[in-house]
Amino acid sequence: ETGVTQTPRHLVMGMTNKKSLKCEQHLGHNAMYWYKQSAKKPLELMFVYNFKEQTENNSVPSRFSPECPNSSHLFLHLHTLQPEDSALYLCASRRGVEFSEQYFGPGTRLTVT
Amino acid sequence: GQNIDQPTEMTATEGAIVQINCTYQTSGFNGLFWYQQHAGEAPTFLSYNVLDGLEEKGRFSSFLSRSKGYSYLLLKELQMKDSASYLCAVTNSNYQLIWGAGTKLIIKP
């Protein structure tokens, strides 16, 4: 496999469910990101991990919980979500947090009912 | 605050040239990126500018003026497959990426 992969690609969950999104990068990068993309809005940065350490949390509600067990894997644990959390969730990786471009996964389309 | 402005939508004709503008106000500057995103797909990297001037890469070129807080993406010889959203993003002094909302480009035959 190459690049950045995300599973599942689509997810429908109720407000009381618990689910997890998974991201894996095969690029040897050290930084990983979670973004939320809603229609006609800028990409919203949620979390940044650099060498497995969380370096940014952009005031994300606690119902979103990230986990980064190693530099290649990133999870986003979801619980008691709200309908307004329905969006495309994108994972990205980068060689370092400074100058290089980000490589994005295909995203998980999340619908909260 | 920090923000990036891009037109919401543009329309152009196949074979023509289109220029997508991006203006930014950020706390410091450490480079500007352009990404392309087809509907339902992930953004893909197009170009990176950190110094003033024009960077050319095939049919696509990107220009930067740091003093004006301004960039544009120029697409030549437009093809139907260029129909996509184009995202402008700036790295600020803390190396945070600030994203624009994207410009949806519609190509007509």
Side-chain angles (χ1 to χ4, degrees):
Chain A
E1 286 201 71
T2 58
V4 182
T5 58
Q6 288 186 244
T7 54
R9 294 293 309 277
H10 300 273
L11 178 62
V12 179
M13 59 187 289
M15 289 190 285
T16 58
N17 291 159
K18 286 186 180 181
K19 296 285 184 183
S20 295
L21 310 185
K22 179 182 176 183
C23 175
E24 186 172 357
Q25 59 97 359
H26 308 270
L27 300 168
H29 290 169
N30 298 312
M32 295 188 78
Y33 301 74
W34 278 118
Y35 285 96
K36 176 183 178 183
Q37 188 175 38
S38 304
K40 300 191 174 159
K41 289 187 179 178
L43 279 171
E44 296 175 49
L45 178 65
M46 300 176 73
F47 303 103
V48 181
Y49 280 82
N50 192 30
F51 291 98
K52 302 188 300 177
E53 299 297 320
Q54 188 180 123
T55 56
E56 277 190 62
N57 175 340
N58 253 16
S59 303
V60 181
S62 59
R63 57 186 184 268
F64 294 91
S65 174
E67 179 190 359
C68 188
N70 54 60
S71 292
S72 298
H73 294 86
L74 186 64
F75 295 89
L76 188 63
H77 304 299
L78 316 171
H79 63 98
T80 58
L81 294 191
Q82 305 298 311
E84 59 265 28
D85 296 323
S86 297
L88 181 68
Y89 288 84
L90 290 163
C91 172
S93 71
R94 202 176 189 186
R95 190 169 70 240
V97 294
E98 297 184 353
F99 300 104
S100 59
E101 69 271 24
Q102 293 185 346
Y103 291 79
F104 286 84
T108 296
R109 173 68 62 186
L110 174 68
T111 303
V112 181
T113 59
Chain B
Q2 305 185 89
N3 66 282
I4 301 214
D5 292 313
Q6 307 178 233
T8 303
E9 187 173 297
M10 299 181 70
T11 302
T13 304
E14 191 177 15
I17 298 173
V18 71
Q19 177 175 311
I20 302 174
N21 295 326
C22 169
T23 56
Y24 61 89
Q25 296 94 41
T26 56
S27 53
F29 178 85
N30 274 309
L32 184 144
F33 295 87
W34 283 97
Y35 282 79
Q36 180 191 59
Q37 186 176 24
H38 286 101
E41 297 183 13
T44 54
F45 168 74
L46 286 178
S47 67
Y48 173 66
N49 294 70
V50 66
L51 299 176
D52 290 350
L54 188 67
E55 295 277 344
E56 296 187 76
K57 197 185 286 187
R59 294 188 298 114
F60 293 7
S61 303
S62 56
F63 171 82
L64 175 67
S65 168
R66 288 172 296 170
S67 61
K68 295 181 180 177
Y70 167 71
S71 172
Y72 67 73
L73 181 69
L74 190 71
L75 292 74
K76 302 177 186 175
E77 301 168 18
L78 286 170
Q79 302 175 9
M80 298 303 292
K81 67 178 182 180
D82 297 330
S83 293
S85 287
Y86 292 85
L87 311 179
C88 175
V90 171
T91 304
N92 67 9
S93 56
N94 292 326
Y95 300 107
Q96 297 169 319
L97 261 180
I98 312 300
W99 292 86
T103 299
K104 182 177 180 181
L105 178 63
I106 300 168
I107 310 295
K108 296 186 173 178

